[in-house]
Structure formats: structure tokens, C-alpha cells
Amino acid sequence: MNSPFFNAEHDRCVKECRRVLGDQAHDEAFAQGKKLNLEELIELALGDQESDDPLPQM
């Protein structure tokens, strides 16, 4: 997807995630996410709707 509209927002989000998590934690989380199948991704995205923790442990 090489759209300046989508890429700019994606790049901004990645930069913010790296700032908050740090490069190593971001890279580790990204690597874990790449291993998930579609069902696991949906489950993670929907997650526990009642939880106060916005970052579920993987």
C-alpha cells in the first residue's frame, strides 16, 4: 500500500509506538504479532472489552 494518506498515518503510529515502548519492545511485539493467524488477530483486537488494561499481555 503506497498511499501517502495511509503511509503517513501508519508511519506516525509506528513512531509513537516506538517512542512509548522503546525500539526493542516494539520489535519484539511486532515479531510476535507477525506469528498470529487471523483468528488470533481478531481475538486480540476484540480482546476483553471489560478490561481496564489497554495493552493485553501476549
Side-chain angles (χ1 to χ4, degrees), residues 32-45:
Q32 285 180 346
K34 284 175 54 174
K35 295 176 185 176
L36 299 176
N37 65 38
L38 181 58
E39 285 185 20
E40 293 168 326
L41 290 169
I42 292 170
E43 184 178 327
L44 180 62

Side-chain angles (χ1 to χ4, degrees), residues 10-56:
H10 176 271
D11 292 344
R12 185 189 67 75
C13 289
V14 170
K15 184 177 180 179
E16 179 66 8
C17 287
R18 285 186 177 280
R19 184 189 70 77
V20 171
L21 297 173
D23 286 335
Q24 183 175 352
H26 173 273
D27 292 345
E28 290 171 4
F30 187 82
Q32 285 180 346
K34 284 175 54 174
K35 295 176 185 176
L36 299 176
N37 65 38
L38 181 58
E39 285 185 20
E40 293 168 326
L41 290 169
I42 292 170
E43 184 178 327
L44 180 62
L46 296 177
D48 180 3
Q49 299 295 315
E50 302 297 319
S51 176
D52 291 334
D53 184 5
L55 299 174

